[in-house]
């Protein structure tokens, strides 16, 4: 790798990069940006002003909108950010990477530099599918193959799994004697089923979960009674540090989620901690977890019960190994880098056809820089 | 007028055109579109599928989104509509008139045909001002001069007041013995003040108003007690037909609204009914109402009291006359038509500079068509 690219990363403005708490997209953008800078690229991150980055930061708002003290219109501030990327700064990038999905489309279609889009959400919504099809020529990246299934017939240019730096998580070959449920107390995540399974199997379950106001009624009616059981221990809502401790010491993550999650960061967080994952076979789960190797993919209650009973057959070092091979930030960064190169227009041809439209040299052929230290 | 233009009118998708009940923008778009068709133009209306129009209707959704049976994303369906106007149909219009404001900007900047924007809302919001300034070269129409005051320094190409067909309202030189408050029971409209003024002056007040759920607490605490007074009669929420009756038989409209309304359709509805308007001197009020001629513009409680006492000095036929001269649909349509002509690029010059980019003749010089009957 000795071609330095001028890359724009466009993040949502809702949370800072990286997020203080929740915000999977912002977390992935953080690791991707850090990785690209470390590999010598000239990266500009468009994100809220409280973001932390080794790239050049351009911020249309002072703080992430969710926690900001000033009330902003998310749509207008996002549009202003995109107008800057594609207007004032149009000549400054070889490649633009948007994590904002369809809001970017009208800007991207008129840009000189190609834009690649990572789709971060579910696509099984009619209007959503319609706008993806309307702009079907734009290059999109899925975060799992399963994510594509509602809209297979567009310009998917790759599936790139999310990744974390290996140092983000400790791993532990000798766990404590508990299973773990981690997430929110929302109905589609089926925390009730996780608890009932643990009780049925006579194993301990730690429950680390947040109660969103919208889930309060569900919590009071369905969850609270189950939390009284002696095998169940509610540890409340946890911070990142406590989450890592809980993950690495668990016998397995019990991921009972019952909707087609497009990726599921918590699963690779578990693998990174050496912890196998017992998961329902929906969404991206069968792509991320290999049954019998890094956990179990379950399609029935009996599958879940068998998985809990057989969890000690899974090698925890194999889980960590799988994380390193398939879900490290480095793997993610290299995949995106390779994709960016594929999307660049053929420079020689274009310079013949449109000599005056591209005055800037696209590739600055440099030796690989020592790191991020020499960039402004 | 013998130049037929191919005009796109882009309406909001929230309500149908014309709206069943509330929706000032959709009502104005309706009258403008009908007027342009009547004057022989080739008009395409982009609006919800339940709209009623003499123009060609192109509808990205079956029904107005607020009342639609199917849940749609307003932003995505709007973007799909704009993609059709500016993408697939880009060559079909000489002029595009958007009532969607800033969402249209990224599409309009790359279009061959000029787009003119009517601003329908308040502009005194920081983010809003910022995006108007970012696209300051685009031609904007204000609906009152006062509306511009937060952002005077952009490309305002005209103020065009809203208008109604004269037949929309009956007028009446001999009113009944009541004043009228018409609107919602929301705090910034000051219905409480309208009632207290009527009580203080010993005059009857009919109150025709809607209670929005968000205003329920205000209604219970501040309004309900005042509605008990024998001089105050609450007639509930009224339909268009009943509204016209109430307007034309009122001695005056008592418009106590206390925020800078950019236009205020209810004031011209009153004038069209021959009914003078007593209004607070904020927003567009001093432009629409001429003190001592079509009502009174009040800046204090004493002003309001004097206005109520002196209301019979106002000539009701003068009010109707003012409506016909300044606020008829015909005046509005002619103003927009003239503006469209001004915004057209110089055909001869452009055909020399870019012969291949504009294959279509822009002006089809025709005699003025007999009406809308001969269009598809």
């Amino acid at each position: 790798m000795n071609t330095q690219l001028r890359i724009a990363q466009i993040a949502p403005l809702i949370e800072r990069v990286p997020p203080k708490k929740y915000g999977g997209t912002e977390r992935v953008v953080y690791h991707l940006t850090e990785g690209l800078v470390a590999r010598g690229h000239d990266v500009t991150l468009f994100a809220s002003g409280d973001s932390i980055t080794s790239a050049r930061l351009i911020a249309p708002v002072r703080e992430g909108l969710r926690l900001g003290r000033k009330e902003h219109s998310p749509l207008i501030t996002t549009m202003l950010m995109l107008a800057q990327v594609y207007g004032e700064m149009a000549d400054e990038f070889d490649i633009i990477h948007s994590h904002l999905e369809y809001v970017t489309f009208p800007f991207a279609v008129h840009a000189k530099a190609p834009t690649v889009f990572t789709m971060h959400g579910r696509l099984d919504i009619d209007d959503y599918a319609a706008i993806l099809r309307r702009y079907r020529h734009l290059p999109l990246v899925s975060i799992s193959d399963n994510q594509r299934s509602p809209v297979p017939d567009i310009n998917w240019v790759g599936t790139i799994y999310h990744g974390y730096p290996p140092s983000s998580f400790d791993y532990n070959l000798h766990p404590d004697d508990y299973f773990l449920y981690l997430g929110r107390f929302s109905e589609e995540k089926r925390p009730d089923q996780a608890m009932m399974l643990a009780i049925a199997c006579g194993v301990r379950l730690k429950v680390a979960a947040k109660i969103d106001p919208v889930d309060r009624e569900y919590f009071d009616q369905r969850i609270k009674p189950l939390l009284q059981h002696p095998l169940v221990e509610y540890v409340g809502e946890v911070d990142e540090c406590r989450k890592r401790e809980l993950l690495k010491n668990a016998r397995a993550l019990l991921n009972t989620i019952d909707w087609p999650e497009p990726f599921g960061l918590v699963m690779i967080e578990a693998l990174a901690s050496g912890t196998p994952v017992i998961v329902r076979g929906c969404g991206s789960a069968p792509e991320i977890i290999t049954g019998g190797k890094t956990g179990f993919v379950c399609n029935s209650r009996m599958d879940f019960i068998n998985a809990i009973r057989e969890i000690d057959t899974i090698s925890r070092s194999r889980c960590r190994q799988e994380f390193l091979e398939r879900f490290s930030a480095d793997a993610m960064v290299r995949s995106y880098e390779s994709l960016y190169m594929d999307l660049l227009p053929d420079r020689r041809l274009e310079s013949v056809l449109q000599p005056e439209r591209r005055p800037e040299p696209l590739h600055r052929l440099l030796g690989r820089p020592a790191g991020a230290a020499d960039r402004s």
Side-chain angles (χ1 to χ4, degrees), chain A:
Chain A
M1 171 63 212
N2 55 8
T3 302
Q4 190 195 39
L5 296 176
R6 300 169 306 159
I7 303 167
Q9 291 289 337
I10 313 178
L13 296 174
I14 303 303
E15 303 287 349
R16 72 167 203 194
V17 172
K20 280 183 182 150
K21 282 181 134 177
Y22 303 94
T25 301
E26 290 86 348
R27 195 172 303 282
V28 167
V29 172
Y30 173 74
H31 291 309
L32 174 58
T33 300
E34 293 302 300
L36 290 168
V37 170
R39 289 177 65 75
H41 295 291
D42 178 4
V43 186
T44 305
L45 172 64
F46 293 86
S48 67
D50 50 349
S51 295
I52 299 165
T53 183
S54 307
R56 170 169 65 152
L57 176 65
I58 296 187
V61 289
R62 187 188 293 263
E63 295 171 292
L65 300 185
R66 183 132 59 208
L67 301 172
R69 274 159 296 189
K70 183 169 181 299
E71 188 116 344
H72 279 291
S73 155
L75 180 58
I76 294 180
T77 47
T78 297
M79 286 180 66
L80 284 167
M81 174 168 72
L82 292 170
Q84 186 169 13
V85 176
Y86 290 95
E88 293 83 326
M89 301 183 69
D91 292 321
E92 297 187 29
F93 306 113
D94 301 315
I95 188 107
I96 298 168
H97 187 168
S98 173
H99 301 271
L100 292 176
E101 311 189 350
Y102 63 84
V103 179
T104 322
F105 292 172
F107 294 88
V109 289
H110 296 285
K112 281 196 303 191
T115 303
V116 60
F117 299 81
T118 296
M119 306 309 289
H120 286 272
R122 282 175 67 168
L123 305 180
D124 53 345
I125 300 156
D126 287 351
D127 287 338
Y128 213 110
I131 199 159
L132 295 185
R133 289 203 176 93
R134 170 59 183 73
Y135 290 91
R136 62 169 68 239
H137 59 291
L138 292 172
L140 306 190
V141 172
S142 45
I143 57 174
S144 65
D145 290 339
N146 179 270
Q147 183 194 27
R148 299 182 185 187
S149 54
V151 203
D153 51 333
I154 55 175
N155 185 23
W156 293 111
V157 293
T159 288
I160 300 181
Y161 297 128
H162 290 334
Y164 279 108
S167 59
S168 309
F169 293 87
D170 291 338
Y171 74 106
N172 180 359
L173 297 181
H174 305 289
D176 293 346
D177 183 31
Y178 65 88
F179 289 75
L180 178 65
Y181 173 88
L182 190 63
R184 282 180 294 115
F185 283 123
S186 64
E187 203 160 352
E188 77 278 4
K189 297 216 172 201
R190 298 302 309 271
D192 59 327
Q193 194 178 26
M195 288 185 272
M196 288 188 296
L197 283 165
I199 293 166
C201 293
V203 298
R204 287 177 61 207
L205 180 73
K206 292 197 182 186
V207 175
K210 184 185 175 199
I211 310 165
D212 276 347
V214 41
D215 298 321
R216 172 57 70 177
E217 195 184 329
Y218 172 71
F219 176 81
D220 287 341
Q221 290 184 3
R222 296 294 307 272
I223 300 305
K224 233 174 170 175
L226 290 165
L227 290 178
Q228 309 307 317
H229 195 281
L231 284 169
V232 176
E233 180 188 350
Y234 179 42
V235 297
E237 185 184 347
V238 295
D239 62 15
E240 280 296 305
C241 182
R242 181 95 175 90
K243 184 171 93 173
R244 281 179 206 137
E245 284 299 307
L246 283 166
L247 271 172
K248 79 172 180 188
N249 294 320
R251 291 176 67 190
L253 180 75
L254 196 46
N255 191 7
T256 43
I257 188 167
D258 194 15
W259 64 272
E261 201 165 27
F263 187 77
L265 280 170
V266 70
M267 291 192 279
I268 69 168
E269 293 171 352
L271 297 183
S273 310
T275 297
V277 178
I278 297 172
V279 62
R280 193 184 309 276
C282 65
S284 64
E287 289 173 66
I288 296 176
I289 301 304
T290 310
K293 200 167 91 174
T294 54
F296 295 98
V297 179
C298 305
N299 294 304
S300 67
R301 181 177 145 84
M302 211 52 230
D303 282 355
F304 274 112
I305 289 173
N306 288 333
I308 291 171
R309 287 187 176 146
E310 292 165 24
I311 198 64
D312 294 332
T313 65
I314 304 293
S315 155
R316 294 179 71 90
S317 60
R318 186 74 203 85
C319 293
R320 173 75 180 183
Q321 192 57 36
E322 181 92 346
F323 161 75
L324 293 175
E325 285 166 15
R326 298 179 62 215
F327 305 111
S328 71
D330 198 52
M332 173 178 73
V333 172
R334 284 170 190 268
S335 296
Y336 276 115
E337 185 180 63
S338 163
L339 179 66
Y340 299 159
M341 296 305 297
D342 289 348
L343 291 172
L344 292 182
D346 184 321
R347 295 300 304 132
R348 281 174 311 151
L349 187 63
E350 186 162 297
S351 64
V352 171
L353 292 176
Q354 302 183 322
E356 77 294 357
R357 280 195 53 206
R358 279 274 201 166
E360 292 262 30
L362 179 69
H363 296 171
R364 296 186 231 151
L365 292 160
L366 300 170
R368 184 170 171 188
D374 57 341
R375 62 194 52 254
S376 59

